[in-house]
Amino acid sequence: MNEFLDFDWIRRNTGVIADLTVQHLLWSLIAVAVGLALALPIGYLVHRTGRAAGFLLAVAGLLYAIPSIALFVAMPLVLGSKILDPINVIGALTVYTFALLVRSVSDGFADVDPQVRQSAVAVGYGPIRRVLGVEFPLALPVIFSGLRVATVSTISLVAVGAVIGNGALGQLFDRGFQSGFATPIIVGIVVILVMALLADGLILLIQGIMLPWFGLGPRSGGRGRLRRLVGAPR
């Protein structure tokens, strides 16, 4: 037996590790998906408030400053759920994801060149078509950057839920610390790191497919990107 890594224990607990990995991934995906769905419209509305955006984003930032353990414990009071209900962990992680992404969405729309916005209006784009067809695609690089940070952060934070008995792979940490046995802890860390790396790589791949004009050759600026979006001649 290796002093730090007991491969026999890993072999005997492969099924448990697989179940906890699926649970960990599922909770992370739900939290990121719901947080993103909430942050997209609210982030845009925050951007549209102009000078008030800074204050509103500061308030959203305070949500991320709430200690994770305190938020996990407070969730049953907010949601009316039982202490061991997985919705407590998912709800808390959704709050953190929203707090990170609402700033990215607002910053992404703020980063759109005003001349590009005016050019879209000049070629006949209405408000909704302009936002969805021109501004949103141009805001996506910043949104994707925030999504990468939020996803990796969420995958990591799921493990903290072990303090209230629901931490998916975090339960391996709890088991290892209580028994003074390092193998579950090492396995939990490695699986979470691999999951985070794969999720980050998948988001990068999706970004490359959705935004092929970024990172491929010299950029031609906002007007060049607008021409691609509206199909206008160069």
Side-chain angles (χ1 to χ4, degrees):
M1 182 183 80
N2 186 293
E3 185 177 356
F4 297 102
L5 200 58
D6 184 346
F7 290 100
D8 215 31
W9 181 91
I10 296 174
R11 182 179 53 77
R12 292 195 310 271
N13 291 275
T14 300
V16 175
I17 295 170
D19 289 343
L20 292 176
T21 300
V22 172
Q23 188 181 71
H24 200 106
L25 180 62
L26 183 63
W27 291 2
S28 301
L29 284 175
I30 293 174
V32 171
V34 176
L36 178 62
L38 293 173
L40 285 174
I42 295 177
Y44 174 74
L45 292 175
V46 168
H47 157 67
R48 294 289 296 173
T49 60
R51 293 183 177 180
F55 171 76
L56 294 174
L57 290 175
V59 173
L62 288 177
L63 294 175
Y64 197 77
I66 300 174
S68 55
I69 295 177
L71 191 56
F72 288 153
V73 173
M75 271 295 149
L77 301 176
V78 176
L79 301 175
S81 53
K82 296 180 180 178
I83 188 66
L84 293 180
D85 196 324
I87 194 66
N88 300 324
V89 176
I90 297 173
L93 295 175
T94 300
V95 170
Y96 287 133
T97 303
F98 170 79
L100 285 173
L101 286 179
V102 73
R103 175 176 288 279
S104 297
V105 173
S106 179
D107 289 348
F109 278 103
D111 196 43
V112 176
D113 189 337
Q115 291 186 355
V116 172
R117 193 176 290 115
Q118 293 169 6
S119 298
V121 174
V123 296
Y125 277 60
I128 296 178
R129 189 183 175 201
R130 188 193 71 234
V131 172
L132 297 180
V134 177
E135 294 184 46
F136 180 62
L138 294 178
L140 276 176
V142 179
I143 296 174
F144 267 113
S145 296
L147 182 61
R148 292 175 60 194
V149 173
T151 301
V152 172
S153 173
T154 300
I155 290 173
S156 172
L157 282 173
V158 169
V160 183
V163 297
I164 58 171
N166 268 323
L169 287 169
Q171 294 179 42
L172 296 179
F173 301 157
D174 190 41
R175 181 183 301 185
F177 284 125
Q178 287 191 7
S179 61
F181 184 38
T183 298
I185 300 172
I186 296 173
V187 170
I189 291 173
V190 170
V191 175
I192 289 174
L193 285 176
V194 171
M195 189 186 299
L197 285 172
L198 291 176
D200 191 47
L202 179 61
I203 294 173
L204 271 177
L205 178 63
I206 294 172
Q207 180 179 355
I209 294 172
M210 292 182 64
L211 309 173
W213 58 81
F214 283 94
L216 296 177
R219 298 179 183 178
S220 54
R223 292 186 178 181
R225 277 171 270 168
L226 175 64
R227 292 192 186 94
R228 294 184 180 89
L229 290 170
V230 302
R234 294 173 182 275

